[in-house]
Amino acid sequence: MSTAGHETAANAPTAGEYIVHHLTQWNTSGHAQKNVIDFSIINIDTMIFSILIGALGLFVMWRVARSVTSGVPGRLQAAVEIVLEMVNDQAKGIVHSAESRKFVGPLALTVFVWIFLMNAMDLLPVDLLPMLWQLVTGNEHAYMRVVATADLNATLGMSVGVLLVCLYYNVKIKGVSGWVHELFTAPFGSHPLLYPLNFAMQIIEFLAKTISHGMRLFGNMYAGELIFMLIALMGAAWSVSATGVSLFIGHVLAGSAWAIFHILIVTLQAFIFMMLTLVYIGQAHEAH
């Protein structure tokens, strides 16, 4: 091997360094920082990709709405109609107030489409966008995570948004006095001695639903992202040898199989987050 080849091998990152690099956010802290919750730091990559993908989803839905036809629909219109019908049926079955569904239905549709598109970014090659960014900016290293739903800050932010909607409907449907009464009398009954216990249980329920709502989406997408990185390492380890060729073939087969399976995960996680959003809002309409 030439001197240049030895230098390249020496400078190449180890498997651990490669994974840590790809799990590091591009943020406003001024230094590399992995996935942590710090309200003084903004993950720039999460903000950019979530906003761009949200805008893309809105644009596509707007274009379909403008070009809708009563005749034979095109493929995109047919796909959107299937999604609309699915969301509408789920909303009707969970939120029984027709007035509330005027807002909750579009909200559920937005949640499903937005999360589906953010999840689908995981199907891009792991190194594609960071390498393109390095070429454009000239930076030697690009810290860029393109799957916004693999950032705990993003998923908890969305689940907190759902919590605020639930609190709004608790007050709107039951009134301030009715909701406060429910906070202190459910689930164990209206007795002064039980008020503190009831209130504590209500707060724990709100916190548990919000945290689990965000953690479920984050955990699944983070794990999927990590598996794609491990598969990418198999391809990076190829060489002109029996072991190297086997690793490359395994990389192609495993990557293809996981990508196909991941399509189901991408869709399922968006559906689950949407359904839990509807369920929690539906619960806000019910009196204990």
Side-chain angles (χ1 to χ4, degrees):
M1 184 181 294
S2 66
T3 304
H6 283 295
E7 291 177 355
T8 301
N11 295 330
T14 65
E17 291 172 341
Y18 177 85
I19 291 176
V20 169
H21 175 81
H22 280 287
L23 292 179
T24 303
Q25 304 279 170
W26 173 28
N27 56 59
T28 58
S29 67
H31 60 275
Q33 182 163 328
K34 286 177 284 185
N35 206 345
V36 298
I37 298 179
D38 187 337
F39 294 109
S40 67
I41 297 174
I42 298 175
N43 290 336
I44 301 171
D45 43 12
T46 296
M47 295 296 294
I48 289 175
F49 287 107
S50 60
I51 292 172
L52 286 178
I53 292 169
L56 174 63
L58 289 173
F59 176 75
V60 171
M61 299 297 283
W62 173 73
R63 290 284 297 182
V64 172
R66 285 198 61 185
S67 60
V68 67
T69 175
S70 58
V72 179
R75 293 179 181 178
L76 183 57
Q77 180 182 330
V80 171
E81 288 178 353
I82 291 173
V83 173
L84 280 170
E85 185 176 351
M86 179 270 294
V87 174
N88 187 50
D89 289 343
Q90 297 299 332
K92 284 183 178 179
I94 297 172
V95 181
H96 302 297
S97 169
E99 181 65 26
S100 295
R101 285 200 305 272
K102 292 179 182 179
F103 173 78
V104 175
L107 173 65
L109 177 64
T110 301
V111 166
F112 178 80
V113 173
W114 192 22
I115 294 179
F116 173 80
L117 292 177
M118 286 192 289
N119 290 351
M121 292 292 286
D122 212 5
L123 298 174
L124 293 176
V126 173
D127 294 298
L128 178 60
L129 293 183
M131 287 180 65
L132 291 176
W133 181 251
Q134 288 176 206
L135 290 174
V136 171
T137 62
N139 293 335
E140 184 179 354
H141 298 290
Y143 293 104
M144 180 181 294
R145 297 184 64 186
V146 302
V147 186
T149 46
D151 180 3
L152 184 57
N153 298 277
T155 57
L156 283 181
M158 290 187 287
S159 65
V160 169
V162 173
L163 171 65
L164 294 177
V165 174
C166 292
L167 296 180
Y168 167 77
Y169 275 108
N170 268 298
V171 174
K172 180 180 180 181
I173 300 299
K174 303 163 188 174
V176 175
S177 59
W179 183 49
V180 170
H181 178 266
E182 182 179 274
L183 284 176
F184 286 94
T185 59
F188 299 118
S190 180
H191 191 285
L193 293 178
L194 295 175
Y195 288 170
L197 182 59
N198 286 329
F199 182 75
M201 291 297 295
Q202 289 280 351
I203 297 302
I204 291 172
E205 180 182 354
F206 280 121
L207 289 175
K209 288 193 297 187
T210 301
I211 293 172
S212 64
H213 199 191
M215 288 288 290
R216 181 182 289 105
L217 176 59
F218 159 74
N220 282 278
M221 298 314 301
Y222 185 89
E225 187 181 38
L226 188 58
I227 291 175
F228 272 122
M229 292 176 192
L230 295 174
I231 293 172
L233 283 171
M234 293 174 62
W238 80 278
S239 61
V240 185
S241 64
T243 303
V245 172
S246 298
L247 283 172
F248 183 77
I249 293 174
H251 160 76
V252 173
L253 294 178
S256 301
W258 181 246
I260 294 171
F261 178 70
H262 205 60
I263 294 173
L264 174 62
I265 296 175
V266 163
T267 308
L268 184 61
Q269 291 306 313
F271 178 78
I272 290 173
F273 196 96
M274 179 205 73
M275 285 297 297
L276 288 175
T277 299
L278 288 173
V279 168
Y280 295 157
I281 294 175
Q283 289 175 346
H285 285 69
E286 299 171 357
H288 289 278

